[in-house]
Amino acid sequence: MNKNSSNIMALAATTPNKRETVCIFGTGDFGRALGHKMIQSGYPVVFGSRSTQTSSMIPKDAEVLSHAEAAQKAAIIIIAIQRQHYDFLIPLAEILHGKVLVDVSNNLKINQYPESNAEYLAQLVPGAKVVKAFNTVSAWALQSGTVDASRQVFVCGDNMEAKQMVMDIVRALGLTPLDQGSLLAAQEIENYPLQLFPMWKFPILLSLGLAAFFFIYSLIRDVIYPYVYENKDFSFFIAISIPNRICPVVALILLALVYLPGVLAAIIQLYRGTKYCRFPDWLDKWMLCRKQLGLVALAFASLHVLYTLVIPIRSFVRWRISSRILSQALHNVTEPLNTTHAWLSDSYLALGILGFFLFVLLGITSLPSVSNNVNWREFRFVQSKLGYLTLILCTAHTLVYGGNRFLSPSSYRWYLPNAYMLSLIVPCIVLVVKFVLIFPCLDKPLSQIRQGWERNPQYSE
Ligand code: NAP
């Protein structure tokens, strides 16, 4: 017999064949879905209901009894009922004494009640051990067999043994329990399913605001100005040219905004001489959504790449090239190759390709499945060192694109510079400040502060 099979036998011997009966109060959508999944996982299930009549909707291997009868059959009772109906549990307090009550409930609004539903349940049935769990899993996901949404089940409770029993059930159902601590965490857990991409709100609103601003800006410069002064209709620029100006500009500004809070934090720490003092709230929130800012920036950069790929097949571009060739033929002249221009154009493209490659690499390493497989030093190396390199390459890409046009008066329309010039302001500030911060006279004290040294203890909290 090989080693593996003996291991399997040893495991089988320690795994109990018979699972404990679980009671579910409520034969609604969630109660039935959870009951179904539990029966599939080998748990005998008994439902406690106001009506003891079974129906075709109820899993066929489950018993349906009155609440009092069902509660007596199990040590764990899952309350799959809305909070506003919890009053019916008060007369059952004696039967429920010492039992594990699992609160799965959610509310309609964030912080709808002063206390969490689980704490309310613990007040109503003081003799029971209340555990909060399962509220982030939907009935649909349980019923559809595969849990398509998150497999994580947040669990909290004051009684360790009760919490462990619930976590064992969670594992047996093929889900992942995450211990969130005492019942005080219940309010936060109840708020999770009500939040809509909380970390994405600021990056998305900011990028939409920037995109709207640069759209109007480019419309004025590139469509309205030629129409007013040259009577030329460039309104078709709205389809590709203007979006292809907005995307790189927004991507570069957002990428710089990923690194700006880091340099601001360094300046604050240097000024205060300690790291034991909280940053202002706005800076804390900004730092927390840097990953999302970076991913939105990557989305805009990817769009820029796609728009750039179609440039050669645009009818306007083909018309411009053929009319230049025709004009040379008609005037019997040949434009000599401008090697400076060729150098600028190739360098601009090379910087863009390298910048985008590193940008994609940053995006990939921010995925949880990848970041979970690298240690903290490797993660910091990629996100900080490679991140700054990406910012340098993308800023250089934009600078070289501008080339010698920065100071040319023809690139200003109604005194408005090109949009890409505006996009360079934030990245250049970030890179210059970062460059200053790596000077030993600033880098050394900053490293010491980050290792816990305190130069100005009056700022410590
Ligand atoms: P539901 O379909 O409306 O079922 C609720 C059940 O509560 C009813 O079927 C009924 O069961 C029982 N009930 C209703 N009024 C009652 C009363 N006055 N006294 C005693 N029992 C009463 O709701 P649900 O979708 O299953 O949700 C149940 C709980 O799970 C809620 O707290 C919800 O927040 C939570 N939850 C639901 C989901 C989901 O996807 N649906 C996901 C996570 C959490 P009987 O007729 O058998 O008595």
Side-chain angles (χ1 to χ4, degrees), residues 25-32 48-51 64 67 79-86 88 103-107 117 134-140:
F25 277 4
T27 55
D29 293 341
F30 194 72
R32 287 196 315 269
S49 172
R50 291 167 303 168
S51 155
V64 185
H67 292 120
I79 314 292
I81 293 167
Q82 273 90 0
R83 169 190 167 130
Q84 60 270 29
H85 303 310
Y86 280 3
F88 84 97
D103 182 288
V104 300
S105 63
N106 283 316
N107 294 319
N117 298 348
F134 291 113
N135 67 310
T136 51
V137 185
S138 77
W140 179 83

Side-chain angles (χ1 to χ4, degrees), residues 263 266-267 269-271 432-450 455:
V263 293
I267 294 170
Q269 285 181 335
L270 273 173
Y271 173 73
V432 169
V433 179
K434 181 69 187 170
F435 179 69
V436 173
L437 285 172
I438 55 175
F439 275 92
C441 59
L442 292 174
D443 186 49
K444 206 170 153 211
L446 190 60
S447 308
Q448 287 172 341
I449 289 166
R450 286 180 176 169
R455 296 155 72 90

Side-chain angles (χ1 to χ4, degrees), residues 76 121 124 143 213 224 264 282 327 378:
I76 298 184
L121 181 61
L124 287 182
Q143 215 149 21
F213 170 78
I224 300 175
L264 288 179
W282 57 267
S327 148
E378 290 161 345

Side-chain angles (χ1 to χ4, degrees), residues 35-50:
H36 181 73
K37 186 89 184 154
M38 286 192 165
I39 289 170
Q40 274 183 345
S41 308
Y43 284 95
V45 171
V46 52
F47 280 101
S49 172
R50 291 167 303 168

